[in-house]
Structures are given as structure tokens and as C-alpha cells.
Amino acid sequence: MGAQIRVYRQKISSTTSMRKIFKAMELIATSRIGKARARVAASLPYANAITRAVSAVATQSEIDHPLTTEPEQIRRAAVLVITSDRGLAGSYSASVLKQAEGLTELLREEGKEIKSYLVGRKAQAYFEFRNREYARVWTGGTDAPEFGTAREIGAALLEDFATAYEEGGVDEIHVVYTRFKSMVTQEPTVIRLLPLEVVEEEAASESELLPLYEFEPETEQVLDALLPRYIESRIFAAMLQAAASELAARQRAMKSAGDNATELIKKYTRLRNTARQAEITQELSEIVAGADALAS
């Protein structure tokens, strides 16, 4: 009986230590989520402004630019998957990877080859565990992304997009990330980055029309200068959304884990008290039985 009590004491001690860790991680995520949401909000004006500029150039010109023209045949597609570097965030990374699997299956049914680009150690571990190939991976700082990383990713994707299919290039680019809607809701999302589908985060009203522009220098040169910036801003916006989603998911997961740890401690405490009561009752019974035997 004493051994059983020691087991429950060890379980209570270990669960209490784990609850402290969960609480600390919850507080860290809670303190950082505000900054992450602020970065998402701060990125919108620039993203919307460059979206309007690209929209104006793309809609008011009649040129065939490789970044805005749908190719006759799409043979290979690039898929950029944005996950997290660390775990303990519930189903955050699993949901993104599931969405990426669905997109990959759909593209293969259309007869397209897949070239994967990964962000986050969770995506890297997922692909390596299944012995799947990927072109490049970027890790580190998924919960606090830097624009330099987004620029590097954009440059790599644009380089492959500009490369011929026979030389390993791609004909279209998709991005799979988690869109931050609220502290409770984060939605795995797929967007097609190239060929360009101009989508503004906060669309203007239907009555608002784009002004007429005259382009200096030539329209193609304007597109060559604007579109890489547009791609970088879209990738960075997706990374910021994913970072806010990761922190929100981790905060929620750690709170749930802490609550579960509290319930376990209560359960183990009741079991320990029950075992102690049984031990005391047994000892009293033995004492009474011994006294009766001596008296007789």
C-alpha cells in the first residue's frame, strides 16, 4: 500500500512540474500574440497599395507578361508549405500539412508534377520521415518571421518560375499557410501565387474604380519592377498570418494542457488519499485484531 502512495506522489509531482511548463508557454504565447497581430495589421496598407498598383498595370495594359499570362500547358507546379519550427501548438502544423496533401493530390490528378518548398521544421520532418523530396527548406523564426526570409523565398520561386520546364522550372506556384481570423479561428488556406491572380486582403468597394495611369518607362519594365515586390509582400503577409496563427494555437493548446494537468493532479490526489485511508484502516484493523488476541 505504501508503494502505491509513493507512485501517486511521484505522479502528482511530475504533473505539477509539467503544469508549470504549460503555464509558462501559455504566458509567453499570450505576450507575443499581440505583437504578431499588430505586424499583420501593419503589413496590410503596403500589401493593399502594391496590390492596387499591380492591378492597375495588369488590367490597363494589353501585354503578354509571363507573370500575368496563363500558360497553355501547366506541367509542373510549385507548392510552398508554411508550418512551424516547434510543436506544442495543437493541430496547427498537422492542419496545414493535411491541406497541402489535398492540394498535391488535386494537382497530380490534373497531371501536374509537384515541386515542394518548405518553411518550418515540422514540414521538413514530415517530408523526410516519408522519404519525400523537396527543393528547398527555410527554418528558424516561424513565430517571428523576417522580411529577408520572405525576399529569399520569393527570389527562389521567381527564379524557378522563370526557368524552362525542361531545366527543372515550374509553371505555377501555390502557397499553403494558415490564415489568422481570430484568437479562436485559424483557417488553413491555399492561394495561387503565380501566374498572377491579383487578390487584395481588404478589397475596395465595387463602386471604387482604379484610376487611369500612364506608365513611364514601358509597361513591361514597370511589371518587372512591381511583381517581384508584390510576390515578396504576399509571401511575407502569409508568413505573418501563419505566425499569428501559430501563437494563437499554442496559447490555446497550452491552456488546455494546463487545465488537463490540473484535473490529473486532482485525480491523483484523490487516489493517493484513498490509498492512505485504506492503509490507515488496515493498520487499525491489525492493531485491534492483535489487542483482541492478547486479551483472549
Side-chain angles (χ1 to χ4, degrees):
M1 195 66 69
Q4 191 175 13
I5 293 176
R6 285 195 298 272
V7 169
Y8 288 134
R9 284 176 179 170
Q10 291 173 357
K11 288 184 177 181
I12 291 172
S13 177
S14 61
T15 307
T16 302
S17 299
M18 291 176 64
R19 183 176 62 177
K20 292 180 181 178
I21 296 174
F22 296 150
K23 186 63 176 178
M25 295 190 68
E26 178 190 351
L27 293 175
I28 292 172
T30 302
S31 65
R32 298 180 66 181
I33 186 64
K35 182 178 179 181
R37 295 178 66 181
R39 294 185 72 189
V40 171
S43 69
L44 287 177
Y46 175 78
N48 291 342
I50 197 169
T51 296
R52 284 191 291 269
V54 173
S55 299
V57 179
T59 57
Q60 297 178 22
S61 59
E62 298 180 354
I63 64 169
D64 291 332
H65 195 278
L67 300 183
T68 59
T69 304
E70 189 78 20
E72 296 181 358
Q73 182 182 7
I74 298 178
R75 293 170 288 181
R76 182 182 293 121
V79 177
L80 175 65
V81 184
I82 302 177
T83 62
S84 66
D85 283 323
R86 297 183 296 143
L88 299 178
S91 61
Y92 166 74
S93 293
S95 299
V96 178
L97 291 168
K98 182 179 179 181
Q99 189 79 8
E101 288 285 1
L103 173 63
T104 299
E105 183 178 350
L106 177 63
L107 294 175
R108 283 176 176 160
E109 288 177 356
E110 296 175 355
K112 302 173 184 176
E113 299 177 23
I114 306 299
K115 191 172 185 179
S116 299
Y117 299 80
L118 312 178
V119 176
R121 294 189 179 92
K122 288 297 179 180
Q124 182 182 15
Y126 180 86
F127 273 68
E128 290 180 350
F129 180 77
R130 290 160 178 79
N131 295 320
R132 296 185 182 177
E133 295 183 358
Y134 55 87
R136 290 191 63 179
V137 61
W138 292 267
T139 60
T142 56
D143 55 353
E146 299 293 337
F147 185 73
T149 305
R151 179 180 297 160
E152 184 180 343
I153 296 172
L157 293 176
L158 284 173
E159 180 181 356
D160 279 356
F161 188 77
T163 303
Y165 168 79
E166 293 75 14
E167 299 176 5
V170 298
D171 302 313
E172 67 177 356
I173 299 173
H174 298 266
V175 179
V176 186
Y177 70 103
T178 305
R179 184 184 182 88
F180 180 86
K181 289 190 172 183
S182 67
M183 289 296 295
V184 179
T185 306
Q186 298 88 41
E187 179 182 337
T189 305
V190 177
I191 59 172
R192 193 179 80 158
L193 202 58
L194 290 175
L196 187 62
E197 293 178 346
V198 178
V199 178
E200 191 167 340
E201 289 290 337
E202 294 180 356
S205 62
E206 295 181 0
S207 60
E208 183 180 348
L209 298 177
L210 292 172
L212 296 176
Y213 291 99
E214 291 185 1
F215 303 109
E216 177 85 14
E218 297 296 328
T219 306
E220 291 187 7
Q221 297 178 17
V222 174
L223 276 177
D224 288 339
L226 278 181
L227 283 171
R229 305 292 177 269
Y230 176 78
I231 298 303
E232 293 170 1
S233 69
R234 291 295 298 273
I235 293 175
F236 188 52
M239 294 174 68
L240 291 176
Q241 294 265 356
S245 300
E246 177 186 347
L247 291 171
R250 180 167 292 114
Q251 187 267 345
R252 192 168 60 251
M254 291 299 97
K255 184 180 186 307
S256 177
D259 293 342
N260 291 337
T262 300
E263 292 299 319
L264 277 176
I265 292 172
K266 291 180 180 178
K267 176 183 175 182
Y268 291 144
T269 302
R270 285 196 303 268
L271 292 173
R272 182 198 61 186
N273 293 340
T274 301
R276 181 184 298 170
Q277 181 94 26
E279 184 179 14
I280 294 172
T281 302
Q282 182 178 356
E283 290 177 354
L284 289 174
S285 299
E286 292 173 354
I287 293 172
V288 170
D292 291 341
L294 290 174
S296 63

